[in-house]
Structure formats: C-alpha cells, structure tokens
Amino acid sequence: MTTTAILSDIHGNLAALESVLEDIAGQNVDRIVCLGDIVGYGPHPCACLDKASEFDFCVLGNHDSSALFDPEGFNASAEQAIFWTRAQLESGQGSEEDSRRRLEFLCELPRTVREGDLLFVHGSPRGPTNEYVFPEDTQNTKKMEKLFSLVPHLCFQGHTHVPGIFTSHNSFLRPIEIPTGYAANDPSLRLMINVGSVGQPRDGDSRSCYVIFDGEVVTYRRVEYDVERTVREIEAEAELDNFLGHRLREGR
Ligand code: ZN
C-alpha cells in the first residue's frame, strides 16, 4: 500500500518546509503531495515552488491562483504580499528560464485530483479553490450535507489552516483528540480531512502540520521549525507586513 505525506499551505515559508521535509524523510513515505497555497504571505515563494515541483502532485490554491491572476477578497496585507510574490515569480531568483518554469508550473496546477475514492482539493469538494470549511460549519447541516454528498470516501483539503477531521455525523476531531491516528479504511465512511498548514498554522500551535496516510490510518504530524528565521526574513522584506511574521509565533 502507498504511504502518502499530504502537505498544504506552505505559503513561502522555507524554514517550515525544510523542517517538514526532514521529518518526512524519517517516516517511510512513498510520495509527497501538496494541496496548494505554495506561495503567498511568506518570504521564499521561488524556493518553495522549486521544492513543490518535485512532489508527486500539487493542486491549485487560492494564493497560487492570485499570484497569476487578480486576488479577490484578500485583506490589505495579503494583497500586498501577493503582488510582491508575483514580482518574485516574474523576475526573482535565478534566470529568465527559471521564472518561466515556475509560472508554467503554477499555471498547470489542477484544481482537484481524484484517485479512486480519494479526492484532493485546496478548499472544499464543492469549491475546490476558494470555499472554506471551518470547524464551526459542523453547525450548518445543509452546507455539510451538500459537501459530504460530493465526497467519494475521503477528501483531503487545506485552506483554513485549521487541521482536523470532519465526519459525516457533523463532528470535528482535532489532531489532539486522535493522537494515535484515525482509522479511515471503512469504505462506507465519508470524511473531509483538513491536513493543516506547513507554513502558517492557525490552530494556536506554531508547529508545522501535515498528514501521513498509509491507505488505512490518517496520522497528524507536528514539526517544530525555526520560526524566528522566518520572522526575520519577513521583517527584512519591506513589502511584507511584519504581522505576517509575528502571527507565526502564536500559530494564528
Ligand atoms: Zn492558505
């Protein structure tokens, strides 16, 4: 059976991505996939894209899309960061050929990937790039019913940066509630699995988050990284709001 490391929301945080890749190297993983938002917010969009282009597949995130086209619904600092990111991609690190390759890679990202009864998206099975599914949405029965009607068996997603598993009985399990993993092998189960964020966790834990799925059990991994390195790199970049660094310390 294939064991997959599922990452999401790297957001140009190279220190975080490097630590996660180191952790993955010790986990007997066959392949790495990414659920989007490789860039946006963070100080190293080019280096993160170069690493992600070696993964088995990536899907398109809303920040990836906004780096190419016009951002919609972004707050001021997110918008400023995405324009800076675009400039980096267009003429940042390396040669013209490197820039062309990175932009082409982003342009070709699919919005969804389906493998048998597994679905991989950035946002949700209904709005793969932009729709948020927050833990509070378990109160919204109509929304959850609609979303679960589109889930073949397991849907892996990101976007909110809040890790946890949505069950079709309208509960939300945080990683801390399933420390030994969650058995997902019963094919009659329907789950939406938010894998959390590598580069900007928002669940009050500053450590990077990702998921390992061995075909049966979903296991969350938390990885410490050098947060202060990324804070310094953001502070050094005039067009990135310092808040984007400071929030990393609290994981919010
Ligand atoms: Zn994101």
Side-chain angles (χ1 to χ4, degrees), residues 3-239:
T3 298
T4 308
I6 307 164
L7 281 52
S8 191
D9 296 273
I10 296 165
H11 282 293
N13 187 341
L14 185 61
L17 179 57
E18 286 174 349
S19 295
V20 163
L21 292 177
E22 240 170 70
D23 188 71
I24 289 172
Q27 300 297 319
N28 262 323
V29 157
D30 300 304
R31 61 177 192 157
I32 303 174
V33 307
C34 174
L35 305 181
D37 279 6
I38 301 161
V39 303
Y41 298 133
H44 289 293
C46 296
C48 288
L49 264 184
D50 292 347
K51 288 196 186 294
S53 64
E54 290 167 15
F55 296 166
D56 282 72
F57 67 77
C58 297
V59 298
L60 180 77
N62 58 313
H63 285 254
D64 306 320
S65 160
S66 299
L68 295 167
F69 308 107
D70 284 340
E72 248 175 68
F74 277 30
N75 63 38
S77 66
E79 189 173 79
Q80 187 165 320
I82 208 70
F83 289 136
W84 175 83
T85 298
R86 182 182 297 170
Q88 294 298 302
L89 297 177
E90 283 172 350
S91 59
Q93 258 175 34
S95 64
E96 245 175 66
E97 167 62 21
D98 291 327
S99 299
R100 195 193 51 77
R101 181 175 41 78
R102 291 184 189 118
L103 290 168
E104 234 171 61
F105 172 77
L106 275 182
C107 280
E108 286 167 6
L109 290 178
R111 295 164 75 234
T112 64
V113 169
R114 174 88 184 248
E115 288 181 335
D117 57 6
L118 307 181
L119 183 62
F120 300 84
V121 299
H122 181 64
S124 86
R126 176 169 60 182
T129 312
N130 286 303
E131 185 176 30
Y132 290 96
V133 190
F134 284 107
E136 308 83 87
D137 286 326
T138 50
Q139 312 292 319
N140 186 343
T141 315
K142 274 191 183 165
K143 175 174 178 176
M144 295 311 268
E145 272 174 7
K146 180 65 206 174
L147 294 179
F148 274 111
S149 75
L150 302 167
V151 174
H153 166 38
L154 306 180
C155 178
F156 292 95
Q157 59 203 49
H159 196 30
T160 63
H161 303 202
V162 181
I165 298 180
F166 295 92
T167 75
S168 51
H169 309 294
N170 280 348
S171 61
F172 180 75
L173 302 163
R174 294 175 188 279
I176 202 163
E177 297 170 68
I178 42 171
T180 56
Y182 191 87
N185 46 338
D186 176 353
S188 69
L189 272 179
R190 285 184 191 188
L191 302 171
M192 288 190 286
I193 299 154
N194 192 307
V195 305
S197 169
V198 168
Q200 198 192 77
R202 292 182 194 157
D203 62 336
D205 184 339
S206 63
R207 294 174 299 170
S208 292
C209 186
Y210 76 97
V211 152
I212 293 178
F213 179 56
D214 64 2
E216 292 187 343
V217 178
V218 175
T219 310
Y220 281 91
R221 303 273 311 163
R222 296 307 288 242
V223 182
E224 269 184 51
Y225 73 96
D226 188 350
V227 174
E228 292 309 315
R229 174 182 145 194
T230 303
V231 172
R232 282 194 304 275
E233 290 166 346
I234 289 173
E235 284 176 343
E237 198 53 67
E239 291 186 53

